[in-house]
Amino acid sequence: MMNTPSTPLSPEFHAHFMRLALREAAKAAEAGEVPTGCVIIRRPESDEVPIAAIRVLGRAHNQTEMLKDATAHAEMIALTQAAAATGDWRLTDAILYVTKEPCCMCAGAIVLARVPLVVWGLSDPKRGGHSVFSILNHPDLNHRPEIQSGILEPECRAILQDFFKERRSE
């Protein structure tokens, strides 16, 4: 069954929360982690709700190196936080913002958590859970979130490119 968000939200709305995800990505870069950031919010009931009133359920950045844990991706940590904040693993009234398209592990977790809308900045045509593996819209899965990509794409691309350019020069 597909959950489709009822109220369309403005590009400015999505850009605001992607900027929060970019702040998380910057924390990851400062820590020597691949700079991916994620923010999960409770979806407003209408587009007239002020942004300041929107509840952030989870926010995280990649921590695989720090935690020595291959599953410590920004999305996985934020999903755990959001589940704790809501008291339910089903995040059926949430929006997940992430700076880079989720990998197949994170895409699978997003499907399992029933997140109805996934918004990312930069697509990953080589390793993306959607672009390569079609996990987010696979017809055999019981949940297929709506997807919106390209939000603040230049900024999301720049933080990754700068990080890897610096790593190669070391």
Side-chain angles (χ1 to χ4, degrees):
M1 172 170 256
M2 182 183 284
N3 291 335
T4 48
S6 54
T7 306
L9 299 165
S10 71
E12 295 80 21
F13 180 93
H14 292 310
H16 173 81
F17 291 103
M18 188 59 73
R19 281 188 202 92
L20 295 181
L22 278 162
R23 286 187 202 157
E24 290 296 319
K27 291 178 189 177
E30 289 170 19
E33 302 275 357
V34 173
T36 301
C38 181
V39 171
I40 301 174
I41 65 166
R42 185 175 305 274
R43 185 182 179 87
E45 292 185 20
S46 83
D47 61 351
E48 296 175 12
V49 173
I51 285 180
I54 305 296
R55 182 170 176 210
V56 174
L57 303 172
R59 69 175 76 215
H61 55 277
N62 279 359
Q63 297 180 43
T64 55
E65 298 298 334
M66 183 183 79
L67 298 176
K68 306 293 186 233
D69 180 355
T71 68
H73 290 196
E75 300 95 320
M76 301 296 281
I77 297 167
L79 285 166
T80 299
Q81 291 175 355
T86 62
D88 195 350
W89 60 268
R90 293 173 199 88
L91 302 174
T92 58
D93 63 348
I95 301 173
L96 184 144
Y97 292 89
V98 63
T99 54
K100 185 183 74 59
E101 177 182 351
C103 70
C104 57
M105 172 185 68
C106 294
I110 289 165
V111 168
L112 292 173
R114 314 293 197 271
V115 176
L117 176 58
V118 179
V119 180
W120 67 74
L122 182 64
S123 292
D124 186 353
K126 291 184 180 179
R127 291 170 294 282
H130 178 68
S131 295
V132 177
F133 300 100
S134 301
I135 293 169
L136 297 176
N137 67 351
H138 196 284
D140 291 337
L141 295 176
N142 66 339
H143 174 74
R144 291 176 294 283
E146 181 180 334
I147 297 161
Q148 194 161 355
S149 62
I151 303 297
L152 300 184
E153 183 176 355
E155 294 91 331
C156 294
R157 175 179 282 110
I159 195 166
L160 279 164
Q161 286 179 336
D162 292 348
F163 175 80
F164 285 112
K165 186 184 300 181
E166 185 176 316
R167 293 299 284 250
R168 284 190 295 274
S169 71
E170 291 176 352

